[in-house]
Amino acid sequence: MGRSANKTANNKPPVLLQHGLLLSNYQDAATWLLGSPDEALGFILADHGFDVWLSNTRGTASSRGHAWLNPQDPEYWEWSWDELAEYELPALFEYVYHQTGQKLHYVGHSLGTLNAFVALSKGKLVNMLRSAAMLTPVAYLGQMTSPACRSIAELFLSEKLYSLGVREFILKGQDVAKLLQFVCLKAEINCSDTFTVITGPNCCIKKSTVDSFLGNEPQSTATKNVIHLSQMIRRGTLTKYDYGNVYENVKSYGHITPPAYNVKSIPKDVPLLLSYGGKDSLTVVNDVKILLEDLRDHKADKLVLQYRDDYAHFDFIVGYNANKLVYDPLIAFFMLH
């Protein structure tokens, strides 16, 4: 219940918040609650009369269930963001939609935007969606400047982990820790400042917020998911997972190469807000420009762009001034839809 909300439960518009991945696996739904009630988007939306739903991506501590597998089974981790976009996000939408009886707004950050773009491009979510706000929108990663992430991709390090039988990618794991140490030495990166070396120089994050963020238990993802993202970085493309051999690709897709996703096929009347920053080394401006070219035929009154020259990747969700600079326009956008 929001502090100043006066709407009843039946008429509160639902909004689903989907976290990302790319900060050394520390992200889960709690990201949206970091900071004071006046700073954290989850609380702010509730105070403005929204029915707020927080989702945890599979593999995180709060989302490790399965019908017949458990996290100790290697098969449990045989997925990438293909499956998140194909199955998980649509299932989350359907759950909120059926629980509330209303179409919902959506806020994605980083990987949470990639899942949504791909799902929308395949005609999913559309009939349950009011509008979507994409913070640090990811569709292309080929021009990423993050030295740590680019080194992992270009040195095929996640592929090497997978070949050694490491299916769960988690920072506290010994194999992953050794990988990151190798990256820092190989690329001559000062990895003492995790935020900056991965995401760019965030301008507006309090030290107490950083401490809370990094004080969380590291969250897991699938090594296969990191491989898929590495493929995007190396190739600059947006395609399904490449198995790396003709037999597996043909078996899975009927083609020797993985098929591409087509962002241009997103319905042109879907209300979209894209918010990105000039200091972001993950979602870099030049990659966003490629996405915007794909969306060039989107209805002008359905596409809102917000650019913050001083913002990096995590300023958008934990910046002390994001409440005024990002969330106020986001809420105004939601109110229109």
Side-chain angles (χ1 to χ4, degrees), residues 20-211:
L21 168 73
L22 291 174
L23 185 67
S24 306
N25 295 37
Y26 280 91
Q27 275 194 277
D28 62 5
T31 303
W32 303 107
L33 305 177
L34 287 175
S36 72
D38 295 319
E39 295 172 336
L41 181 58
F43 294 122
I44 291 171
L45 286 168
D47 285 344
H48 279 80
F50 290 90
D51 182 13
V52 180
W53 296 74
L54 308 178
S55 61
N56 286 290
T57 299
R58 69 167 81 179
T60 56
S62 299
S63 184
R64 297 172 76 87
H66 196 280
W68 63 86
L69 297 172
N70 65 66
Q72 285 69 48
D73 298 319
E75 188 181 350
Y76 177 92
W77 299 100
E78 288 297 327
W79 53 268
S80 79
W81 56 258
D82 278 334
E83 285 74 24
L84 302 184
E86 179 73 21
Y87 304 112
E88 183 161 302
L89 189 58
L92 290 165
F93 261 70
E94 289 174 6
Y95 183 82
V96 176
Y97 178 75
H98 290 301
Q99 288 292 313
T100 64
Q102 299 185 63
K103 292 185 177 183
L104 51 147
H105 298 288
Y106 178 77
V107 181
H109 177 247
S110 192
L111 187 70
T113 70
L114 174 61
N115 299 340
F117 284 132
V118 168
L120 288 168
S121 76
K122 299 186 68 177
K124 299 177 181 291
L125 315 182
V126 177
N127 294 331
M128 298 178 284
L129 179 67
R130 297 190 189 203
S131 66
M134 310 297 204
L135 307 181
T136 69
V138 173
Y140 300 97
L141 293 173
Q143 300 181 73
M144 174 191 286
T145 58
S146 169
C149 293
R150 181 157 290 282
S151 294
I152 289 173
E154 293 180 347
L155 295 171
F156 291 82
L157 295 181
S158 49
E159 286 86 345
K160 292 174 182 176
L161 280 179
Y162 188 89
S163 70
L164 293 172
V166 179
R167 297 295 187 265
E168 178 182 3
F169 191 99
I170 183 170
L171 273 185
K172 69 178 181 181
Q174 183 178 6
D175 294 303
V176 176
K178 287 181 179 178
L179 176 149
L180 294 177
Q181 184 180 30
F182 174 79
V183 167
C184 296
L185 293 173
K186 181 75 174 179
E188 298 181 345
I189 303 169
N190 179 3
C191 292
S192 60
D193 184 350
T194 306
F195 263 63
T196 298
V197 78
I198 295 179
T199 70
N202 296 276
C203 68
C204 306
I205 302 179
K206 296 177 179 176
K207 184 180 183 302
S208 58
T209 303
V210 174
D211 292 342

Side-chain angles (χ1 to χ4, degrees), residues 27 88 103 134 161 165 188 234 249 262 270 309 313 328:
Q27 275 194 277
E88 183 161 302
K103 292 185 177 183
M134 310 297 204
L161 280 179
E188 298 181 345
R234 290 194 299 267
N249 283 340
N262 184 11
V270 172
D309 184 64
H313 203 68
D328 281 355

Side-chain angles (χ1 to χ4, degrees), residues 28 33 79 128-129 137 169 187 189 222 226 230 235 274 291 294 299 307 309 325-326:
D28 62 5
L33 305 177
W79 53 268
M128 298 178 284
L129 179 67
F169 191 99
I189 303 169
V226 181
S230 296
R235 302 172 186 179
L274 274 58
L291 169 61
D294 284 347
K299 288 187 177 180
Y307 174 71
D309 184 64
L325 300 180
V326 179

